[in-house]
């Protein structure tokens, strides 16, 4: 045998030397859940290690993360049921929970980057990402709400707005609204290929944002499709997206690779709540080594071609690096 691949695996120094992919804390965006009130840290049952924070404890949490080297965060608001309505009106109230949180974070941590979620579901009494009329999700009427919501977030200090709704034309509409109002510098991270599936369950528990009727299949993508992801990517690029995102990450590593190979834009991947919960649940039962599974999961997303990883593991991974 003149070819023996094992020669390059024979000790740790050599293995490290020939390692093709590596993770850096610079790659990560850490999602965080915000709720109203004071001194709140409410654990999310289905996401061990993850809590909902009131604005005061959110600042403590971000401070701790910054000390660990994490600098980018994706906050999501958990809204009380009484503030929700059909048109997600609260989403563009400049004094809503989300805008107040964004302002406070940017005031206390001006160098932190905030990637803010643009979608109606946390504010919608229907629990959908669009306006519901006679059981149908209205596209163009929803764009108006999304534009106002993105502008409210930009005015509060968001660096990157991230539409996660999957309405047609939303990137172009949001870009126009931001530019008309002087927010040329605010970037758009589009949830380009967001699939309708089971992996968002724990997130919807965390925000109490599950659809009240029906499912999200008329706007989120069919898990069986990959060419359609290229159509979404072409449109988002033409409409002005600065990043293309694939979501979820693990069951869609091929889609991450597909977009990586077909775009020059940075590719983001969202390692979603259900993917986090699966690793945690199996680790709690002693069925897998949670730390090793975390690292293997994250590296697979990077190897597939993601430049940016949104993951609930971000803080734990940062802690692991400090060990
Ligand atoms: C809503 C939104 C969802 C997630 C991010 N933004 C849920 C959904 O589409 O129902 C899910 C994130 C996760 O599961 O971690 N627009």
């Amino acid at each position: 045998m003149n070819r023996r691949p094992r020669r390059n695996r024979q000790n740790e120094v050599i293995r490290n030397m020939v390692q093709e992919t590596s993770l850096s804390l610079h790659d990560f965006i850490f999602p965080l859940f915000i709720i109203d009130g004071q001194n709140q840290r409410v654990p999310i049952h289905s996401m061990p290690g993850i809590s909902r924070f009131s604005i005061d404890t959110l600042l403590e949490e971000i401070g701790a993360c910054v000390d660990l080297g994490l600098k980018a965060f994706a906050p999501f608001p958990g809204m009380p049921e009484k503030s929700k309505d059909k048109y997600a009106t609260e989403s563009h109230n400049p004094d809503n929970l989300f805008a107040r949180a964004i302002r406070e974070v940017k005031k206390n941590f001006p160098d932190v980057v905030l990637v803010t979620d643009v979608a109606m579901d946390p504010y919608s009494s229907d629990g959908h990402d669009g306006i519901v009329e006679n059981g149908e999700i209205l596209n163009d009427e929803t764009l108006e709400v999304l534009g106002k919501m993105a502008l409210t977030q930009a005015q509060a200090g968001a660096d990157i707005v991230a539409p996660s709704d999957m309405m047609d034309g939303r990137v172009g509409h949001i870009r126009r609204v931001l530019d008309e109002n002087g927010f040329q510098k605010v970037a758009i991270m589009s949830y380009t290929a967001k699939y309708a599936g089971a992996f968002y369950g724990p997130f919807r528990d965390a925000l109490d944002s599950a659809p009240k009727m029906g499912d999200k299949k008329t706007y989120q993508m069919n898990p069986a499709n990959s060419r359609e992801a290229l159509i979404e990517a072409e449109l988002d690029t033409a409409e002005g997206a600065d990043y293309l995102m694939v979501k979820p990450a693990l069951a869609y590593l091929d889609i991450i690779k597909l977009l990586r190979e077909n775009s020059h834009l940075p590719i983001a991947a969202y390692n979603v709540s259900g993917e986090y919960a699966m690793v945690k649940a199996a680790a709690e039962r002693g069925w897998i080594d949670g730390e090793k599974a975390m690292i293997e999961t994250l590296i697979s997303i990077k190897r597939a071609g993601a430049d940016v990883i949104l993951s609930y593991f971000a803080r734990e991974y940062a802690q692991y690096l400090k060990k």
Side-chain angles (χ1 to χ4, degrees), residues 31 33 47 76 117-122 127-129 162-166 191 194-204 207 209-211 216 219-220 245 247-248 270-276 310 312:
F33 298 108
M47 301 177 74
F76 292 90
D117 186 58
V118 181
M120 286 177 58
D121 53 336
H128 273 287
D129 297 41
S164 67
D165 57 289
M166 292 302 278
Y191 286 63
K194 175 168 177 179
Y195 287 88
F199 291 102
Y200 311 138
F203 176 97
R204 293 178 189 170
L207 295 187
S209 64
K216 298 192 173 187
Y219 46 107
Q220 298 180 353
M245 191 200 294
K247 175 184 179 188
Y270 200 140
N271 177 211
V272 299
S273 58
E275 298 175 329
Y276 176 84
L310 290 96
Y312 303 97

Side-chain angles (χ1 to χ4, degrees), residues 9 35 46 63 67 69-70 73 85 98 101 113 131 149 165 169 194 232 272 275 279 281 312:
R9 299 178 203 137
I35 49 171
S46 50
D67 291 342
L70 289 171
F73 302 90
D85 65 23
F98 203 41
V113 164
I131 299 171
M149 193 185 314
D165 57 289
K194 175 168 177 179
E232 291 285 358
V272 299
E275 298 175 329
V279 173
Y312 303 97

Side-chain angles (χ1 to χ4, degrees), residues 221-240:
M221 286 174 54
N222 178 349
N225 293 352
S226 64
R227 289 194 308 270
E228 195 181 347
L230 292 173
I231 298 176
E232 291 285 358
E234 277 168 22
L235 290 170
D236 284 355
T237 305
E239 291 174 32

Side-chain angles (χ1 to χ4, degrees), residues 143-144 147 151 168-184 188 238-240:
L143 297 187
E144 296 299 316
L151 180 59
D168 293 335
R170 85 265 209 223
V171 171
H173 181 76
I174 290 170
R175 188 68 272 159
R176 257 189 316 280
V177 171
L178 291 176
D179 288 359
E180 279 165 13
N181 287 279
F183 290 102
Q184 285 82 358
I188 300 179
E239 291 174 32

Side-chain angles (χ1 to χ4, degrees), residues 37 49 53 55 66 111 135 138 140 142 164 185 244 252 276:
F53 299 97
I55 294 177
V66 167
D111 299 332
L138 305 183
D140 299 14
T142 298
S164 67
K185 274 177 71 180
L244 304 178
Y252 300 89
Y276 176 84

Side-chain angles (χ1 to χ4, degrees), residues 2 115 144 263 270:
N2 65 342
V115 182
E144 296 299 316
S263 174
Y270 200 140

